[in-house]
Amino acid sequence: MERFLVAGGARLAGEVTVTGAKNSVLKLMAAALLAEGRTTLTSVPDILDVTIMAEVLRRLGCTVERADATVVIDVPATPRHEADYDLVRRIRASIAVLGPLVARCGMAKVALPGGDAIGSRGLDMHVAGLVKLGATVESEHGYLIASAPRLRGAQVWLDFPSVGATENLLMAAALAEGTTVIDNAAREPEIVDLCQMLTAMGARISGVGTSTLEVEGVESLSPVEHETVADRIVAGTWAVAATMTRGDVFVRGGRVEHLEMPLDKLVQAGAVITPGEGGFRVVMESRPKAVDVVTLPYPGFATDFQPLFLGLNTVAEGTAMITENVFESRWMFVNELVRLGADVRTDGHHAVVRGRARLSGAPVTAHDIRAGAGLVLAGLVAEGVTEVSDVQHVDRGYEGFVEKLVALGADVRREQVPDEPWL
Ligand code: UD1
């Protein structure tokens, strides 16, 4: 087990580079299963979740090789169709192999996933959609088992624009017989990225970037080379970090067009944000002002930013209301912030944050990726040292987080947690 030791007080300054999006590349890797042969993905972040997803694909019979930021996936003519619990429980996104496997092999057996500890995160829309496409889906001994000799196009309405369900259904529909319409589909930039890769593979998709996706199924798809879209959540994390530490940071690779809502909130908080060649600059000179946040599916304010903005508000001038509409219990993080001296009350979907002049460093625990990053940022503005444990969560989503913070002037280091001899 490892932890981060974060000493507060530094003003972040300099340039940081954002790589490809975790939430995109994991699905692009699953999409490779749709075509026999070598698919090449570039701008692949070097993070734990990619390593785990590569292992999921290897156990399905693929060869996966990585060289720097390029991953080559060689998919056999007949992949195996079973994804085991020991891997799936470590990465919820591995459920993305369900759609491609049933479309390609006529059968998929995928363990019910675990993943971040943030709410129930059902799979009912994934299942209902596949059933609409003609699959039989059963749940047995902790596995979802889906089968269909050939999926058939259908009209699917999602109760909620679920990112994962939209992706699974898109991939399944690409090889179905006939036309599928997915209504109330998610429209995150990562969905657009997946649509672009599928289209390059030979899929026929219209309505890309809208909430109605129409997919005309084809007989087969071909492997391609595809560049992963930049990680907007990581880019936004650096923007929040610069704002909280009253810094001056150029976020290279960050795309303002994917970050309109969060960057606008940072401007309201007092930051000056200037788009530039290949990225954007964030400069903050004063204590941030409190900003209210309401999470919603894209283009609304992303739930993944919620812990980061909650953290920002703990040291802001004024009181903010944070409303979480996407995941019902994303508040575990609040208890950790309170350990740092934050004044936060939660009630149902809402958290009220009264800004304090300063936080005070303490040992805290990361419960998921973004909460972990949020605690590190809080540590940067706390007095003294904040010890963040369970940092494997942060490693799942942030490439070289500590090294990049140090390069921007932060006093942060990673250390092994000593054994507890009394255990
Ligand atoms: C993805 C992202 C995650 C982000 C989330 C919302 C990845 C790997 N993860 O997660 O970082 O926070 O989108 O932007 O891309 N739901 C159901 N039934 C379903 C599917 C979802 O009830 O069949 C619910 C979930 O419990 C949750 C909400 O819908 O409350 C959103 O889930 P979804 O959009 O599917 O998120 P993920 O794809 O899991």
Side-chain angles (χ1 to χ4, degrees):
M1 293 288 264
E2 291 179 327
R3 66 184 172 203
F4 294 160
L5 297 184
V6 186
R11 177 174 194 256
L12 298 192
E15 181 173 309
V16 66
T17 300
V18 175
T19 52
K22 169 185 89 72
N23 286 355
S24 197
V25 77
L26 300 174
K27 326 307 170 59
L28 304 179
M29 292 172 81
L33 287 167
L34 289 163
E36 182 188 347
R38 286 163 68 87
T39 284
T40 302
L41 299 174
T42 58
S43 283
V44 176
D46 188 6
I47 52 174
L48 194 55
D49 272 13
V50 167
T51 308
I52 300 171
M53 193 63 169
E55 190 55 27
V56 170
L57 294 183
R58 283 190 194 103
R59 298 219 198 150
L60 292 170
C62 305
T63 307
V64 185
E65 277 160 14
R66 180 176 189 125
D68 300 321
T70 298
V71 167
V72 178
I73 302 164
D74 200 345
V75 180
T78 320
R80 286 194 284 276
H81 62 262
E82 187 166 331
D84 301 332
Y85 179 60
D86 65 327
L87 284 176
V88 173
R89 75 188 172 88
R90 298 186 63 189
I91 171 181
R92 180 187 159 81
S94 49
I95 197 68
V97 302
L98 184 68
L101 285 180
V102 72
R104 190 68 213 293
C105 313
M107 173 88 178
K109 184 174 173 192
V110 180
L112 290 162
D116 293 340
I118 44 169
S120 62
R121 310 182 101 190
L123 294 171
D124 51 324
M125 286 183 261
H126 299 244
V127 171
L130 287 176
V131 168
K132 273 269 171 91
L133 295 183
T136 306
V137 187
E138 283 163 15
S139 165
E140 244 173 45
H141 307 297
Y143 280 80
L144 272 182
I145 303 165
S147 58
R150 173 95 198 258
L151 295 168
R152 288 185 315 275
Q155 169 79 47
V156 181
W157 289 273
L158 297 180
D159 293 344
F160 178 91
S162 154
V163 170
T166 302
E167 291 162 340
N168 244 327
L169 296 175
L170 262 171
M171 293 188 277
L175 286 180
E177 191 183 340
T179 301
T180 298
V181 177
I182 309 170
D183 247 323
N184 200 22
R187 350 181 225 157
E188 273 69 1
E190 295 76 28
I191 305 266
V192 173
D193 198 27
L194 175 63
C195 286
Q196 285 167 349
M197 172 165 158
L198 291 173
T199 302
M201 291 171 83
R204 299 206 186 115
I205 307 173
S206 58
V208 175
T210 76
S211 54
T212 303
L213 293 166
E214 193 169 313
V215 188
E216 202 187 311
V218 294
E219 288 292 325
S220 65
L221 296 168
S222 315
V224 284
E225 177 166 340
H226 179 85
E227 183 182 357
T228 315
V229 69
D231 198 317
R232 67 195 161 99
I233 309 294
V234 171
T237 302
W238 293 117
V240 174
T243 306
M244 284 177 79
T245 62
R246 302 183 199 184
D248 180 351
V249 174
F250 188 79
V251 184
R252 182 156 300 285
R255 293 177 58 172
V256 282
E257 70 273 26
H258 294 163
L259 287 161
E260 280 169 358
M261 292 275 282
L263 294 186
D264 184 56
K265 291 284 173 188
L266 293 180
V267 169
Q268 286 174 38
V272 176
I273 298 179
T274 323
E277 185 80 17
F280 59 88
R281 182 179 175 197
V282 183
V283 181
M284 183 71 168
E285 302 284 359
S286 56
R287 183 179 172 195
K289 291 188 210 49
V291 280
D292 293 343
V293 159
V294 179
T295 69
L296 282 173
Y298 192 84
F301 188 93
T303 175
D304 287 358
F305 285 129
Q306 182 261 96
L308 305 165
F309 277 73
L310 206 151
L312 177 131
N313 278 303
T314 63
V315 290
E317 211 178 313
T319 298
M321 167 88 90
I322 311 283
T323 305
E324 175 55 67
N325 289 318
V326 180
F327 289 110
E328 69 252 33
S329 58
R330 213 167 185 170
W331 298 135
M332 272 193 287
F333 169 62
V334 167
N335 296 335
E336 306 301 317
L337 279 178
V338 167
R339 291 184 49 72
L340 299 177
D343 182 349
V344 189
R345 311 271 161 96
T346 59
D347 186 3
H349 286 271
H350 306 287
V352 174
V353 189
R354 293 185 181 86
R356 288 257 163 96
R358 61 180 57 83
L359 301 175
S360 73
V364 288
T365 303
H367 294 292
D368 70 59
I369 302 177
R370 310 303 165 192
L375 289 171
V376 172
L377 301 198
L380 291 175
V381 295
E383 258 176 10
V385 174
T386 297
E387 290 172 26
V388 183
S389 54
D390 285 6
V391 295
Q392 71 278 6
H393 287 296
V394 181
D395 293 334
R396 286 185 46 203
Y398 289 87
E399 177 180 302
F401 200 43
V402 168
E403 293 74 11
K404 289 180 179 180
L405 281 165
V406 169
L408 292 173
D411 183 354
V412 181
R413 66 190 162 87
R414 180 192 286 271
E415 68 164 30
Q416 206 64 36
V417 176
D419 286 340
E420 287 157 337
W422 50 270
L423 269 181

